[in-house]
Amino acid sequence: MRASDTERERIAELLREAVAEGRLDMDEFDQRLERAYKARTHGELEPLVQDLPVPGSAVAPVGSSAPAPLRGSAADWPARIGGNATSKGAFALWGGFHRKGRWTVGRLFTAFAMWGGGEIDLREAHFEDREIVIRCFTIMGGIHVTAPPELNVEVRGIGIMGGFGEGSSEEGEIAPDSPHVRITGFALMGGVGVDRKRTKAERRRREAAREAELESRRRQGPEGGLRKEF
């Protein structure tokens, strides 16, 4: 079967992730990337990723119409759904609270802050159920929610002499198998903000992969073949 441009790019993305994770060195990455972009058939593409595991799932067949698996903070969503909640609520009065790192969000999570603040970080979290409701209530206080760009988040809240809504957002495609998180509540003379961004570690991995690809293209030269440097 003939390979399409989309299939070649999907293989290239897997190679970029592999070099960023240290599974391939630069020479191997250069060679495989060049072969990926020159490949004409599925048979030429498949060997390039057969020895590269994708966290949480098998490598999709080259001929599949499914997109390349999402990784990083969005890796293996099915494995992050289920289990007992480690937290179902948070409270701050003249102080603060935070929920971040590896924790399991209850299917109904209620947060309250009065004359204080709170942080809810979902980027490395697990979820008790596929449908999650996070209720945020603030009075002269603030709650900040951080989610990965690939998580399906719906924001519905009311701000009274305050604000309740989404803030900054990094680019990312919502994963179809991610949980659905609905954020509701109200802010009275305070604020609830929801930002979408990746962790610093994931941003570093992505930047390393981009730099590796640019270096590979530089070595290949304008004609697409490897350029020898003397």
Side-chain angles (χ1 to χ4, degrees):
M1 294 289 292
R2 303 282 291 190
S4 68
D5 288 341
T6 300
E7 291 163 343
R8 281 186 282 268
E9 186 57 39
R10 184 163 65 247
I11 296 300
E13 178 64 23
L14 291 174
L15 296 175
R16 294 183 198 109
E17 285 289 333
V19 73
E21 293 171 355
R23 298 184 188 276
L24 295 176
D25 59 31
M26 279 303 303
D27 287 338
E28 291 176 306
F29 176 70
D30 287 342
Q31 295 168 9
R32 296 193 190 197
L33 188 65
E34 182 184 16
R35 289 168 58 191
Y37 283 121
K38 290 183 176 180
R40 295 178 180 272
T41 66
H42 294 167
E44 294 174 279
L45 286 175
E46 289 171 353
L48 302 178
V49 294
Q50 281 181 339
D51 61 343
L52 300 178
V54 175
S57 62
V59 176
V62 175
S64 171
S65 59
L70 295 168
R71 288 168 290 279
S73 63
D76 197 11
W77 284 115
R80 293 169 64 176
I81 299 173
N84 296 325
T86 58
S87 181
K88 294 186 178 182
F91 178 85
L93 176 64
W94 290 98
F97 68 81
H98 67 266
R99 300 289 186 274
K100 59 183 180 179
R102 295 291 298 273
W103 64 295
T104 302
V105 189
R107 59 175 55 89
L108 177 60
F109 182 93
T110 303
F112 177 82
M114 181 174 180
W115 296 319
E119 177 187 2
I120 302 172
D121 193 332
L122 304 175
R123 290 175 293 182
E124 298 179 12
H126 287 223
F127 303 87
E128 186 178 20
D129 203 346
R130 182 171 295 278
E131 296 289 332
I132 298 291
V133 176
I134 297 178
R135 302 188 300 179
C136 298
F137 304 101
T138 68
I139 300 176
M140 300 180 69
I143 296 177
H144 182 221
V145 182
T146 307
E150 297 83 8
L151 180 63
N152 185 3
V153 177
E154 177 186 0
V155 181
R156 292 185 179 182
I158 300 173
I160 303 173
M161 299 180 66
F164 198 119
E166 296 189 67
S168 62
S169 178
E170 292 186 19
E171 292 185 3
E173 183 179 352
I174 294 177
D177 56 352
S178 81
H180 176 217
V181 178
R182 183 156 51 93
I183 300 175
T184 68
F186 70 83
L188 175 62
M189 293 186 290
V192 174
V194 181
D195 290 334
R196 295 173 177 270
K197 61 181 181 180
R198 297 181 175 86
T199 62
K200 291 182 179 179
E202 187 175 354
R203 288 199 295 270
R204 285 196 295 267
R205 288 196 300 268
R206 287 173 172 265
E207 183 61 29
R210 284 194 293 267
E211 291 178 357
E213 182 178 8
L214 290 175
E215 177 63 18
S216 174
R217 292 180 182 276
R218 186 188 68 81
R219 292 185 182 185
Q220 292 177 17
E223 301 300 326
L226 290 177
R227 179 176 62 191
K228 294 183 178 180
E229 300 181 355
F230 299 92

